[in-house]
Amino acid sequence: DAPPAKARLGGLGALARAPFAARPFRGRFALGMPDAEKDASSSSDDDESEEEDNESIDDKMKRITQLGRQGNIQELAKEAKIADCSPEMLKFASLKSKDLGNEAFQKKEYEQALEYYAGALVGDVPDKHKIFSNRSACFFQLGKYTDALLEATKAIKANRSWSKGYFRAGRAALEMEYYDEALEMFQKGLDKEPSNKDLVEWTEKARKIRNQQAQDKLVKKHATDYTKFDELTKQVAEEEEEEEAANDPNRIILGDKYYSSSKMEQRQLKAMLGYKEPPPPPFEPTFNSDLVYQHDSRGAKTQNPVWDPTRREWRIDAKPAPSRIDYSDSQQAQAVAMFLERQTDVQLVEEWLALLDAQASPIDAYVDGVRDLIAQMLGPEGPDGKREKHSVIGNDARWLFIGIGCGLPLMTAVRYLPTADIIANTAHRSFYVADLALTIAAANGIKKEQVRFIHRPSQDLAIVDPDGEDINNLTGKVDCVVFDYELFDAGLLGKGVLAKINHAKKKLATTNHLTMPMGATVLCAPCEMICPRGEAVDGIDWRNADDTRWSAFYEVQNLDKEEEVEPWRSLGLVQELFEFDFTEGEVKMSGQTDFHFSATDDGVLNCIAFWYRMSLTSSVVLDHTPACLSSSGSRIKGAYNRHAVQWLAAPIQVSKGDNIHVRASYSRSRIRFEVMSPEVPKLDRRVSCPRWLLLRLREEQRLEAYRKAIDKALARIMEAREQVPKLDRPPLRIVHLGAGLTQTSMVAAKCAREAGVTDRDIETHGYTVVAMERMPKVVKLAKRVLRHNDLDRDVFVCSEEIRQLPNQPQRAQLIVAELIDPGLLGEGILLLLNIARIKMCNAFDHSVVPNRGAIWAAAFEFGEPLGNVHGFDVSAFNHYRTGLMVDLDTALENGSARQISNVFEALKFDFEKNEMPSAHTINLVPTESGKITAIAFWYVIDMDPDGDIILTNWPESIPPPDFSMMEKDVHKAIPIRQAICHFQGDHIREVTKGEPLELDVGYNTAWPQFFWPGTEMVTKESGDRVPKPPPMPRHRLAYEKLKSETEDLEKKLQSGLMFDEEMLADGYAAAERIALEPNGNPNYLIDPQNANYFHMMFFV
């Protein structure tokens, strides 16, 4: 026999281990015969041909190996024909390959066995059904259950009287959760061979598992989201996409563990089938708040959680980190940073559009600043009307705009200086940013000779040889540099602007250049922002929730918009901290200052609010001082986040007159505050809470509507209970869906007590209220609040997914559903309410709060004013109206929207009777001529069956169709926001006042739908039918591609962090490092809030 081939061969290539050897044969791949029978002519190949053939062997070996792994029998047979194999030779090789496959299978080398078995199937080998069965067993052992089922099916087709094929099919189907089909396969196998012990055993197992699954008992013990298996089936398509996108600089290439969560799910499946290997418990991270005050962790230790399978516990390993701002040592840190940067790019256009709609102060200030800068260059106007030019820089100066933003400052410079040399740098990587800027420039008649666009991050800008290869860069130094508003965050430095300013001043600008902005001053005030202490309408003490007021980075808010921020107050005078002069040769990258303040009132000092006053030019200032603290009386326009809040290491109880010593410091991309006196312990943090849940504690009208409705429902339930003999009365049980921090659950428990529930009832029957909330750390916090308010015996908080719960033996008489968003259906009230009915209530004997709900709507035109903003057309931003929520009152007030039709009732739902509307067509009569670009809608909810208690988010500026609703007990949800369905492209309708048109109205499980009759519909992966998107401009298509890829990447990252302990360990360490200083690394431009929220995900 010939010696074994050195290469690992598959399929026909594996036959080289038989009495044949693979040899080159005139450009074809041949199976050579023994030496005595070789064709003598084969040895006379010339050297050049021999070299070509040797070069082709490797490629062909790779192809054949791949065919063997795939089990592609047809292609392998073609290769055999090409190799000129005789039938006898092929049969002998196939039998040999089968024997080798059996040996590999015994050694548990399943992938190798698959290759051998594929080769065995090429020839005319007897008992092919057994080979198919063996291939099924190999795939099963490798966890590829779909392939295992396919091979088992082939075995059945090859020999329908053989019982083992049915056995293999049953095992694979069972692993895939096809319980009925698995049982059917096992039973058919028993029909063929009734005495087969394996079939008898697994038939019984399958029957038990099927029955248990029907009762959802196993799902309760081992909750698994099996939709993640969909990612595994897409692996081949993703590999093809990777090859196609290899040269895409925006593409993030991740390791296999980012694409698969199978490691954890394999263990869970095994546990369901009786194997004793439970998954690791959830990782409980701890954040050391002292890290906030370290400017850089160079040389320090980074906490890395590691799962120890022997001891079955998480342990913390301290790894040395080269620097907080250097991600080169960690693939996970680079992947998370790239994801956060792309997420930032997706959000950019939404922020610009919001500023334009609100006619916000930064836009006006920057346009005025550019005008003032140009006036300085032209010089002051003399008595004769002539201008004296700037002593150094004239109107022929070269301009550089770093960051384009909405484009208005740039176009203002072009308008007043049509012959100037102007360069615009996008400062981002995403293509759509550059293409959108070019589109807006073209719409305003700006020629490419007037502005040179450079699309690259600002740190990559350099002065290059004009005749060199790098044509996308500067060819000379500039005289005027404008840093766009988008480079600054609410805390001034969070986006790493200092490094960008120094880079431009040192490398790109002339000695006597002008800079805009010229400088900025950071100001602060010590503040109290705490939860209610029992004084609110719920009467609950929420002080435990204040323990969640912490974060690795400061948070941004708009302290001027009372309805969207928690109540706060200043406990001291405003302090000026740092003054940055951007006209200096170099801006310092770090600094520190101490300040003292005397407390102006008693209170809890738990945060420092800070902001900036920016001098764009000597006469144009952008001052973000909160209105209640401003002495100048300047009014800021627009509801945008402009204030930063840093939570202190621990809250401090202060009395009026107390002296507090605070140290403020800044590094390259953040500002920090540390209380030096009195001494404050730095607490380790383990639990956080979404800020919207804390804000919701103050929604008194919403809570009052629920309280009144629960009171009425309980009165009816208790009255009906009195008609039942005492010994036959079931215990009172209330189910609360969407419980959050269980505020409404506690109110319901109090209502139950007032309705007659006693301590003895609770001791006998257990909890009165079952609160369902999915966020496990929020559940922990809720339990602490319940204990603190002595309601932990009344309310049970469950973090299980309700769909995974078994049917409950004690049935509830009342469901309270707090699953309401501005569009009524967005939080899944229809689906989850039905599941709760089935699993937790008597089918015909329960009440629901809320009782009914209706969706009202009207047609609107959005974005008309963008056709003329400071004399420029920026209507291209209207292509990005993709949001699902809108503040109609604000939009109508600032003119960004106008109403085109009267309001109409679109859909009506009866939650208690489970009566749902059908899709229908309505006649819409325009009240104004214009374009219908959107349908805005909102809800009116009858909380009780009588319709006396109303909860609504009806816009204040739109009158109802009749005033009967106003005569009832109406409660307004705060903040008042509405939902919206935007039309794009061809779907926007031009209408004439008084001329009616038809509109189709429908809904899916989570969202209402509005579309024009005749609109082409498409089916999404979820199965929902939606209107087909219309043609879009190129920049919008690029945006949609970026957005879709970023969302997919987010799902994969989160999936890996939840189901892969190795990735969880590396991912947490990466998230912590980046959140502490998101833009410390100048190679990334990340919104700090995105990094902060990504880190907080581990604590929620």
Side-chain angles (χ1 to χ4, degrees), residues 358-540:
Q359 304 171 27
S361 294
I363 292 177
D364 294 342
Y366 261 78
V367 170
D368 293 342
V370 170
R371 289 173 178 163
D372 190 47
L373 211 57
I374 294 171
Q376 291 181 37
M377 292 181 178
L378 296 177
E381 187 174 332
D384 55 355
K386 294 184 178 179
R387 292 182 177 274
E388 182 180 348
K389 289 188 177 182
H390 191 277
S391 58
V392 179
I393 301 173
N395 57 0
D396 58 346
R398 299 188 75 202
W399 287 65
L400 172 62
F401 285 81
I402 297 181
I404 299 175
C406 63
L408 292 174
L410 168 65
M411 292 189 290
T412 301
V414 176
R415 170 188 286 173
Y416 289 103
L417 302 171
T419 61
D421 187 1
I422 298 177
I423 302 165
N425 168 231
T426 61
H428 293 277
R429 289 187 173 90
S430 297
F431 168 74
Y432 92 88
V433 177
D435 200 46
L436 175 60
L438 290 169
T439 301
I440 293 174
N444 288 277
I446 296 175
K447 301 176 181 178
K448 62 181 181 180
E449 296 84 8
Q450 293 179 278
V451 179
R452 183 179 170 217
F453 287 90
I454 298 178
H455 177 49
R456 67 194 312 162
S458 62
Q459 70 269 12
D460 295 342
L461 291 175
I463 308 299
V464 299
D465 183 355
D467 299 324
E469 295 182 358
D470 189 0
I471 61 174
N472 188 32
N473 225 321
L474 279 70
T475 57
K477 293 195 172 185
V478 297
D479 304 301
C480 183
V481 184
V482 178
F483 297 95
D484 194 78
Y485 175 76
E486 67 166 284
L487 302 178
F488 302 88
D489 77 330
L492 186 68
L493 309 183
K495 294 184 179 179
V497 70
L498 294 185
K500 295 174 175 60
I501 291 174
N502 282 339
H503 174 73
K505 296 175 74 66
K506 292 179 181 178
K507 303 288 182 67
L508 310 176
T510 58
T511 304
N512 297 310
H513 66 276
L514 297 178
T515 302
M516 192 183 98
M518 297 173 58
T521 301
V522 176
L523 305 96
C524 77
C527 294
E528 173 190 84
M529 189 182 294
I530 58 175
C531 292
R533 298 291 198 262
E535 73 277 5
V537 67
D538 59 10
I540 297 168

Side-chain angles (χ1 to χ4, degrees), residues 17 468 497 535 565 570 603 777 947 983:
R17 295 171 173 81
V497 70
E535 73 277 5
V565 69
S570 175
K777 303 298 175 63
F983 298 128

Side-chain angles (χ1 to χ4, degrees), residues 40-332:
S41 63
S42 64
S43 62
S44 61
D45 294 342
D46 59 86
D47 293 339
E48 182 177 351
S49 176
E50 189 77 35
E51 184 178 354
E52 291 177 0
D53 288 336
N54 281 328
E55 290 175 350
S56 67
I57 284 176
D58 290 338
D59 293 337
K60 293 183 178 181
M61 281 293 173
K62 290 178 182 178
R63 183 174 68 254
I64 290 177
T65 299
Q66 187 66 20
L67 292 174
R69 288 174 180 167
Q70 296 171 351
N72 195 331
I73 310 303
Q74 293 179 346
E75 291 298 323
L76 283 171
K78 289 181 182 179
E79 292 291 342
K81 291 178 181 178
I82 293 173
D84 290 340
C85 292
S86 67
E88 295 78 10
M89 183 191 308
L90 204 55
K91 182 176 181 180
F92 178 81
S94 297
L95 290 170
K96 184 66 175 178
S97 191
K98 178 185 175 183
D99 294 338
L100 292 171
N102 292 338
E103 291 178 11
F105 186 85
Q106 294 297 326
K107 296 177 182 177
K108 298 184 179 181
E109 298 173 355
Y110 301 116
E111 291 187 356
Q112 182 69 64
L114 282 170
E115 298 173 24
Y116 286 133
Y117 287 139
L121 289 168
V122 175
D124 185 15
V125 64
D127 297 332
K128 282 193 175 184
H129 59 280
K130 294 184 179 180
I131 298 178
F132 286 125
S133 175
N134 291 349
R135 284 178 57 81
S136 175
C138 290
F139 281 122
F140 186 89
Q141 294 298 333
L142 292 171
K144 299 179 179 180
Y145 305 120
T146 303
D147 292 329
L149 183 58
L150 290 173
E151 294 297 321
T153 305
K154 293 177 185 178
I156 293 172
K157 289 180 179 179
N159 188 346
R160 295 187 180 275
S161 63
W162 193 52
S163 65
K164 201 160 192 176
Y166 296 98
F167 175 76
R168 297 290 187 205
R171 289 294 307 276
L174 193 63
E175 293 287 354
M176 297 169 70
E177 289 189 274
Y178 298 140
Y179 303 116
D180 291 330
E181 291 80 358
L183 183 58
E184 181 183 356
M185 288 293 104
F186 290 135
Q187 287 173 338
K188 284 186 177 182
L190 275 177
D191 292 341
K192 308 299 179 186
E193 190 180 355
S195 61
N196 189 302
K197 293 182 179 180
D198 289 336
L199 283 168
V200 172
E201 177 186 353
W202 280 96
T203 300
E204 187 61 27
K205 276 190 179 182
R207 183 177 289 108
K208 287 182 179 179
I209 291 174
R210 184 195 63 175
N211 294 339
Q212 288 172 337
Q213 187 271 343
Q215 298 173 11
D216 290 329
K217 290 181 180 178
L218 285 175
V219 177
K220 178 184 177 183
K221 292 183 180 179
H222 304 282
T224 305
D225 183 3
Y226 291 101
T227 60
K228 296 194 170 59
F229 280 113
D230 295 341
E231 296 297 333
L232 304 179
T233 63
K234 297 178 182 177
Q235 189 169 353
V236 175
E238 288 172 345
E239 289 173 355
E240 294 174 354
E241 290 176 6
E242 285 180 14
E243 183 178 355
E244 178 184 348
N247 297 321
D248 184 357
N250 293 325
R251 183 77 173 182
I252 299 177
I253 306 299
L254 301 170
D256 289 342
K257 61 185 175 183
Y258 288 90
Y259 291 99
S260 170
S261 59
S262 61
K263 189 186 302 180
M264 179 74 75
E265 290 176 346
Q266 292 284 345
R267 283 197 298 269
Q268 289 178 328
L269 274 175
K270 289 180 179 179
M272 288 180 65
L273 295 172
Y275 296 96
K276 302 300 183 182
E277 191 182 355
F283 168 60
E284 302 286 348
T286 300
F287 179 71
N288 178 7
S289 58
D290 193 46
L291 290 172
V292 173
Y293 305 102
Q294 299 175 11
H295 288 222
D296 186 18
S297 61
R298 189 180 303 277
K301 302 290 185 180
T302 299
Q303 295 187 35
N304 281 66
V306 177
W307 170 247
D308 187 337
T310 304
R311 301 174 61 185
R312 295 204 55 76
E313 65 180 15
W314 290 96
R315 57 182 171 81
I316 300 297
D317 276 3
K319 284 186 176 180
S323 171
R324 181 182 298 168
I325 64 171
D326 181 12
Y327 308 146
S328 61
D329 65 315
S330 169
Q331 179 189 3
Q332 286 72 26

Side-chain angles (χ1 to χ4, degrees), residues 576-592:
E576 289 191 3
L577 297 178
F578 303 110
E579 190 166 338
F580 296 93
D581 186 352
F582 300 148
T583 63
E584 292 181 348
E586 181 178 0
V587 183
K588 291 183 178 179
M589 298 290 286
S590 62
Q592 178 178 298

Side-chain angles (χ1 to χ4, degrees), residues 505-677:
K505 296 175 74 66
K506 292 179 181 178
K507 303 288 182 67
L508 310 176
T510 58
T511 304
N512 297 310
H513 66 276
L514 297 178
T515 302
M516 192 183 98
M518 297 173 58
T521 301
V522 176
L523 305 96
C524 77
C527 294
E528 173 190 84
M529 189 182 294
I530 58 175
C531 292
R533 298 291 198 262
E535 73 277 5
V537 67
D538 59 10
I540 297 168
D541 188 340
W542 290 98
R543 70 182 68 227
N544 285 296
D546 286 330
D547 293 342
T548 67
R549 297 184 187 275
W550 63 272
S551 59
F553 202 80
Y554 54 74
E555 300 175 9
V556 300
Q557 301 186 20
N558 179 7
L559 298 178
D560 289 329
K561 195 161 186 178
E562 294 181 3
E563 65 271 22
E564 293 189 8
V565 69
E566 293 181 79
W568 66 281
R569 61 186 179 125
S570 175
L571 295 177
L573 299 177
V574 173
Q575 306 276 339
E576 289 191 3
L577 297 178
F578 303 110
E579 190 166 338
F580 296 93
D581 186 352
F582 300 148
T583 63
E584 292 181 348
E586 181 178 0
V587 183
K588 291 183 178 179
M589 298 290 286
S590 62
Q592 178 178 298
T593 185
D594 286 17
F595 67 92
H596 297 75
F597 74 91
S598 179
T600 55
D601 204 349
D602 298 345
V604 179
L605 173 64
N606 65 342
C607 64
I608 304 289
F610 61 104
W611 58 91
Y612 61 80
R613 182 173 60 236
M614 181 181 288
S615 299
L616 295 166
T617 65
S618 56
S619 58
V620 180
V621 177
L622 180 63
D623 188 353
H624 281 165
T625 302
C628 62
L629 300 179
S630 176
S631 57
S632 62
S634 60
R635 183 173 178 270
I636 295 292
K637 292 193 304 179
Y640 61 97
N641 289 331
R642 49 184 175 264
H643 307 113
V645 173
Q646 184 197 307
W647 305 109
L648 298 178
I652 306 172
Q653 189 71 44
V654 297
S655 301
K656 185 176 180 179
D658 285 354
N659 186 269
I660 310 298
H661 173 201
V662 180
R663 174 165 296 163
S665 60
Y666 73 91
S667 54
R668 60 195 303 136
S669 63
R670 73 170 295 165
I671 294 175
R672 302 170 180 80
F673 297 89
E674 183 176 10
V675 175
M676 307 304 293
S677 175

